[in-house]
Amino acid sequence: MSSQSKSILDTPIEYLKGVGPIKADLLKKELGIYTAMDLLQSYPFRHIDKTKFHKISEINLSDEYVQIKGVLNRLQVHGLARKKRLTAHLKDTTGQIELVWFKGVSWLEKNLQPGVEYICYGKINNYNGRINIPHPELTLPNDNTQTSSHLAPVYHSSEKLNLKGLDSKGRRKIIFHLLQALSEDRLEEHLPDYILQKLKLIGRHEALINIHFPHNQEILDQSIRRIKFDEVFYFQLRMSQLRAHRLEHIKGLLFEKVGNYFNTFYKECIPFELTGAQKRVIKEIRIDLGSGVQMNRLLQGDVGSGKTMVGLLTMLLALDNGYQACMLAPTEILAQQHYNSLLHDLEKLEIRVGFLSGSVKGKKRKLILESLANGELQILIGTHAILEDKVVFKNLGLAITDEQHRFGVEQRSKLWKKNKPIPPHILVMTATPIPRTLAMTAYGDLDVSKIDEMPPGRKAVTTYHKTEENRLYVFGFMKKLIAEGRQVYIVYPLIEESAKLDLNNLMQGYESLERDFPKPKYQISIVHGRMKPEDKDYEMERFLKNQTQIMIATTVIEVGVNVPNASLMVIENAERFGLSQLHQLRGRVGRGADQAHCILMTKKNISKHSFKRIQTMVRTTDGFEISEADLKLRGPGSIDGTMQSGLAMFKMTDILRDGEMIRVCKEMAIRIFEKDPKLQMDIHKKMRHHLDHYFHLVKGWSRIS
Ligand code: ADP
Ligand code: MG
């Protein structure tokens, strides 16, 4: 930045014209605006076309925001004290409309001038069938800070801000003054010319001015585009920087051999042909392992796509090269199941596999830890208990985490330290379908592999929505499937806050089920969180062995259990589950080759949001589509911590809509890093400076990097 513009934009907000200490305080608290630069970067979320006015007679409820010009009259205060409300009418040549205020009534009463023409902007409201405009913005037609351009910015506001004159109109004024003060200076450009030209981007200075007061729609669009570019591009640049740093400074264990374990298993023990996607991913992993650089790979694949097999083959590569491997699962049951199926899969090979979780204690635990430290144990499967400091490996070469969304970044870094001085290779497996653009941003520093193909013969699960009235039909359907030799899951929600009620629900469901499905013809397993682990295991075991036909459970079966013979999943109170949970649950069926079904049971009347979730489930089994729907329904605020901090810096960019921009930026960042990995070239100097400066300021960023 040039020294001059730096001095203005670094000005603390309280020293700007029209701000002062009270407003400054509020700007800091409510909007995180501390300096002139922050203010400049608090972008409007829309613009009003000042040249267009609605005729009052033509306004109807389908108009969202309107701008009208008219004479103010009939100011009236109703009610007392806190209930006070001010109404007025605005009249143009075609009719009149009611305006109403609930806050700041006394001030408005004193300052608004009846009989005077105002420009009024606001959101249309339906008040018992009558149209009015609550808290409209009123300006005098000759107020020059408001009319300097045809397109006037509208800023997000809050009640607190409105009360102190920091509503959209007030902020517009302050920013207008700031831009005037800036007009002598030019904000320095930090992108090299070749990028500006190649992507036809306007200058940074133009963009930051015109995002607020554009002269026309075209320059506004260009400003938006430039600002989005900066957000995404610098993010991608940073990701590439981190990755480059990792590649250069973090050595990796060299796995050069493909040996006996891998080959024997591959040739003799896999009961099926690997899918093309599985083969491709294994190749990608093998390249990493042979590169001398530490692998940090995210393996994405929808529920049932066969990630475990890829994980297992990778572990065998570690063993072939004389290293140990471990795999972490988020729950005891899932870890147990991985352990059991691994023992089964590895039967023919002489490999020593151990299991560790919080419930492994005393002598057993001691033995595991000993044989881990002396290298006798080659594979360890378990829960986060593996992360404890006391768990020491002789030479850990590979750590896999399953369902990574439940493991934080911190936990991953603990895994890094399990081997010294060179950290183990890391493979992170997740079925949580993340929209592509989100993955590109949130996991930009990981390499991503994707299994985008299901094992052959899988049929998409058919999903139905039913209510209590259809209960008999549902029971009938269950009986039919059971008669064909199939098994059924029934899942109840369990939310911590209402755990007791939920448990009652489950028990009631169980009792009514026992009446309709009497012993000995039908056998029912029940599993819930209050049971002892041994009892749970016993019940799971019975279901796994097809000794029981129905498994009734809380969400404990959410992740991982694998019973290919189960072909129906009934989800009770489905309206209480989130979309990704429903998707995970449904993934428990349809693991064999036959048609599987899922029935979502809900109350008759459910909220609009719940209904949309259910509809999404009925419509599609595509995990990516579901995650996008989820994100749209819940908003980006719902994204988990790691990703959140990655998104916090996107003020303008919409992760879901700006996919093309994200792709372009990623490519550009990669290309630049290929040519100039340290950004040392003269043309990149300013860019590097900005990059360091920018990320220094972003809160929460350090957690990712
Ligand atoms: P997820 O990706 O959800 O972890 P799993 O690894 O549990 O999926 O695999 C689901 C099921 O598909 C398992 O029963 C597994 O044995 C089976 N499977 C995996 N790969 C294949 C394949 N290539 N062909 C047939 N079945 C497969
Ligand atoms: Mg799995």
Side-chain angles (χ1 to χ4, degrees), residues 43-65:
Y43 307 124
F45 71 100
R46 62 155 72 230
H47 286 79
I48 323 166
D49 186 343
K50 291 235 131 189
T51 61
K52 291 211 177 85
F53 293 96
H54 287 79
K55 289 183 182 141
I56 290 178
S57 63
E58 287 171 3
I59 291 174
N60 61 57
L61 282 169
S62 64
D63 294 314
E64 208 192 344
Y65 288 89

Side-chain angles (χ1 to χ4, degrees), residues 310-483:
V310 173
L312 173 52
L313 285 165
T314 312
M315 291 202 278
L316 295 178
L317 284 173
L319 268 51
D320 273 340
N321 286 275
Y323 290 96
Q324 295 168 299
C326 71
M327 174 141 102
L328 278 76
T331 65
E332 171 114 17
I333 287 183
L334 179 56
Q336 267 292 349
Q337 192 168 31
H338 275 320
Y339 176 65
N340 291 333
S341 69
L342 213 68
L343 284 184
H344 177 259
D345 288 342
L346 297 178
E347 241 169 10
K348 287 194 196 155
L349 304 174
E350 278 181 16
I351 292 178
R352 284 167 310 271
V353 185
F355 177 82
L356 186 70
S357 75
S359 65
V360 177
K361 294 198 178 97
K363 223 178 173 173
K364 251 181 160 175
R365 186 184 188 84
K366 205 172 147 229
L367 255 163
I368 294 270
L369 294 186
E370 273 173 18
S371 54
L372 205 57
N374 68 25
E376 261 170 50
L377 208 57
Q378 293 161 287
I379 294 181
L380 183 65
I381 308 291
T383 59
H384 53 263
I386 294 181
L387 296 171
E388 287 166 24
D389 290 337
K390 286 201 181 117
V391 180
V392 179
F393 292 81
K394 177 160 182 259
N395 59 353
L396 182 66
L398 167 75
I400 300 180
T401 66
D402 196 13
E403 304 303 340
Q404 94 88 30
H405 60 293
R406 299 180 179 217
F407 289 104
V409 180
E410 257 164 75
Q411 281 139 332
R412 251 191 281 158
S413 77
K414 278 195 179 159
L415 283 174
W416 276 47
K417 293 182 192 129
K418 289 280 176 197
N419 198 58
K420 280 173 190 155
I422 301 182
H425 295 292
I426 306 274
L427 182 66
V428 165
M429 306 199 295
T430 180
T432 310
I434 311 162
R436 208 173 58 93
T437 50
L438 187 57
M440 268 168 137
T441 46
Y443 294 120
D445 68 324
L446 296 186
D447 299 307
V448 181
S449 286
K450 205 175 280 174
I451 305 187
D452 50 7
E453 179 187 356
M454 284 291 184
R458 296 276 173 84
K459 295 193 184 70
V461 180
T462 333
T463 304
Y464 317 88
H465 178 201
K466 299 281 172 205
T467 61
E468 204 48 48
E469 291 167 354
N470 312 118
R471 178 66 66 186
L472 279 180
Y473 163 83
V474 174
F475 280 180
F477 190 55
M478 285 169 60
K479 283 182 179 156
K480 177 175 160 276
L481 289 176
I482 292 172

Side-chain angles (χ1 to χ4, degrees), residues 303-304 306-308 334 338 402-403 429 431 559-560 588 591:
V303 182
K307 295 184 291 295
T308 316
L334 179 56
H338 275 320
D402 196 13
E403 304 303 340
M429 306 199 295
V559 182
R588 296 302 111 204
R591 304 202 139 206

Side-chain angles (χ1 to χ4, degrees), residues 125-132:
N125 177 43
N126 178 4
Y127 179 70
N128 291 334
R130 259 194 6 244
I131 290 179
N132 68 14

Side-chain angles (χ1 to χ4, degrees), residues 117-183:
E117 190 181 56
Y118 280 93
I119 292 172
C120 165
Y121 175 78
K123 202 172 177 175
I124 291 296
N125 177 43
N126 178 4
Y127 179 70
N128 291 334
R130 259 194 6 244
I131 290 179
N132 68 14
I133 307 180
H135 286 266
E137 189 189 308
L138 293 181
T139 47
L140 294 167
N142 57 3
D143 182 345
N144 69 347
T145 63
Q146 309 296 331
T147 53
S148 71
S149 73
H150 295 323
L151 293 168
V154 185
Y155 301 91
H156 278 299
S157 191
S158 69
E159 266 181 26
K160 277 187 196 154
L161 290 167
N162 290 347
L163 277 177
K164 293 280 181 282
L166 287 170
D167 56 356
S168 192
K169 183 173 132 191
R171 299 243 295 288
R172 198 180 297 157
K173 230 176 208 165
I174 298 171
I175 291 177
F176 183 80
H177 288 313
L178 172 64
L179 292 186
Q180 282 193 320
L182 250 177
S183 63

Side-chain angles (χ1 to χ4, degrees), residues 272-275 278 302-308 455 458 562 591:
F272 40 72
E273 175 81 9
L274 293 184
T275 63
Q278 282 170 318
D302 214 341
V303 182
S305 62
K307 295 184 291 295
T308 316
R458 296 276 173 84
N562 193 13
R591 304 202 139 206

Side-chain angles (χ1 to χ4, degrees), residues 102-122:
F102 304 95
K103 299 265 153 118
V105 169
S106 322
W107 187 89
L108 286 160
E109 206 190 344
K110 257 184 249 146
N111 288 279
L112 288 178
Q113 308 163 44
V116 166
E117 190 181 56
Y118 280 93
I119 292 172
C120 165
Y121 175 78

